[in-house]
Amino acid sequence: MDGAPPPASPTGLSAYVAVSQLLGLTLLAATGAWLGRYRGGVAWQGQLQFNVHPLCMVLGMVFLQGDALLVYRVFRNEAKRSTKMLHALLHGLALVIALVGIVAVFESHRAKGIADMYSLHSWCGMAAFVLYLVQWLLGCGFFLAPGASFSLRSRYKPQHIFVGIALFALSIATCLLGITEMLLFNIRDSYSQFVPEGVLANTVGLLLVAFGLVVGYVLTRDEWKRPPLAEELALSMDFKTLTEGESPGGSQ
């Protein structure tokens, strides 16, 4: 009925979302502390340009990507169109920040005469970014732009969800590879002696895993999925009628 309060969030959802955000912010702080305390900080020009890369990739490809995936769990009672727009906006922002990080590492390598795209980390990272861009473009085309039929959207949706979660996992795995590679380049001889930089960087890795696990848990709980609102069900049937030429009560 009009004026009724929105349904409460399912038990436990708010707590897990809060934990994910606490882990994510701690991850960003720990990454910044590592780069600031042991790698000299972050700058676009000069020797510190490389450090823009890990900071941007953690911020964009992990934290913002994870938050974009959580949008449909957090904003359960908002209009579907608004939720879609926020979902796409966060993913788009993550892509822009990740692109800055990619440009930074290529420019840094060029200035130092270091070869590009030879390591497993770089291969996984470029694959993750390109597939993420394709996923974002397809998502905008199918779910935001007019033209895609109801049946086409329905068939693509499971693939979109699966690829989104897979890319999130790949992004975290790529960051873990990058942390290990960076430590071996910079503190190879002392890494095994539990030096403070190694311990802090390993902690960043554990925070990456923890953030990914909590986000993944929230996404895979069926009872925490966003339920369709009554008006969305009606609009969905109208959209199907317009695009498929079926009546709302017609056979499937």
Side-chain angles (χ1 to χ4, degrees):
M1 58 182 290
D2 292 339
S9 296
T11 303
L13 174 60
S14 297
Y16 274 93
V17 170
V19 169
S20 75
Q21 297 311 288
L22 179 61
L23 286 170
L25 293 174
T26 305
L27 167 63
L28 292 175
T31 303
W34 173 30
L35 298 174
R37 176 69 176 83
Y38 297 103
R39 295 291 106 210
V42 175
W44 187 254
Q45 301 293 334
Q47 295 295 313
L48 301 179
Q49 186 178 26
F50 176 85
N51 293 343
V52 174
H53 175 70
L55 184 62
C56 284
M57 304 320 277
V58 170
L59 174 58
M61 295 295 288
V62 177
F63 181 68
L64 287 178
Q65 183 179 179
D67 276 7
L69 295 176
L70 291 176
V71 160
Y72 287 106
R73 302 298 185 271
V74 175
F75 299 99
R76 304 172 56 80
N77 303 306
E78 307 299 325
K80 186 68 172 289
R81 181 74 178 180
S82 299
T83 309
K84 285 182 181 180
M85 292 295 293
L86 180 59
H87 179 72
L89 180 63
L90 286 175
H91 279 309
L93 181 60
L95 278 166
V96 171
I97 292 174
L99 180 60
V100 172
I102 291 174
V103 171
V105 74
F106 275 104
E107 289 194 357
S108 175
H109 282 181
R110 187 178 302 112
K112 297 176 182 178
I114 299 175
D116 293 313
M117 298 302 299
Y118 65 89
S119 67
L120 178 61
H121 166 68
S122 61
W123 287 19
C124 290
M126 190 57 68
F129 179 79
V130 171
L131 291 174
Y132 190 31
L133 175 60
V134 172
Q135 165 87 341
W136 184 74
L137 292 173
L138 287 175
C140 290
F142 275 97
F143 301 115
L144 285 177
S149 68
F150 181 87
S151 62
L152 191 59
R153 290 183 179 184
S154 298
R155 287 197 297 269
Y156 175 65
K157 184 178 178 181
Q159 284 73 35
H160 182 74
I161 294 172
F162 171 78
V163 172
I165 296 175
L167 285 175
F168 181 58
L170 176 59
S171 298
I172 291 175
T174 302
C175 285
L176 295 176
L177 288 172
I179 290 172
T180 302
E181 186 176 293
M182 192 169 171
L183 290 174
L184 292 178
F185 274 136
N186 291 297
I187 58 170
R188 176 190 299 270
D189 295 334
S190 59
Y191 188 22
S192 62
Q193 300 171 21
F194 292 92
V195 293
E197 180 178 359
V199 172
L200 179 55
N202 287 349
T203 301
V204 171
L206 290 178
L207 287 169
L208 280 164
V209 173
F211 179 72
L213 289 175
V214 174
V215 170
Y217 181 72
V218 173
L219 294 176
T220 54
R221 285 284 296 268
D222 287 339
E223 63 270 31
W224 289 353
K225 291 182 178 179
R226 181 186 184 277
L229 304 179
E231 58 269 26
E232 293 171 2
L233 291 173
L235 287 172
S236 177
M237 294 306 299
D238 289 341
F239 179 73
K240 183 175 182 180
T241 301
L242 289 171
T243 59
E244 304 295 329
E246 299 177 6
S247 64
S251 60
Q252 299 296 319

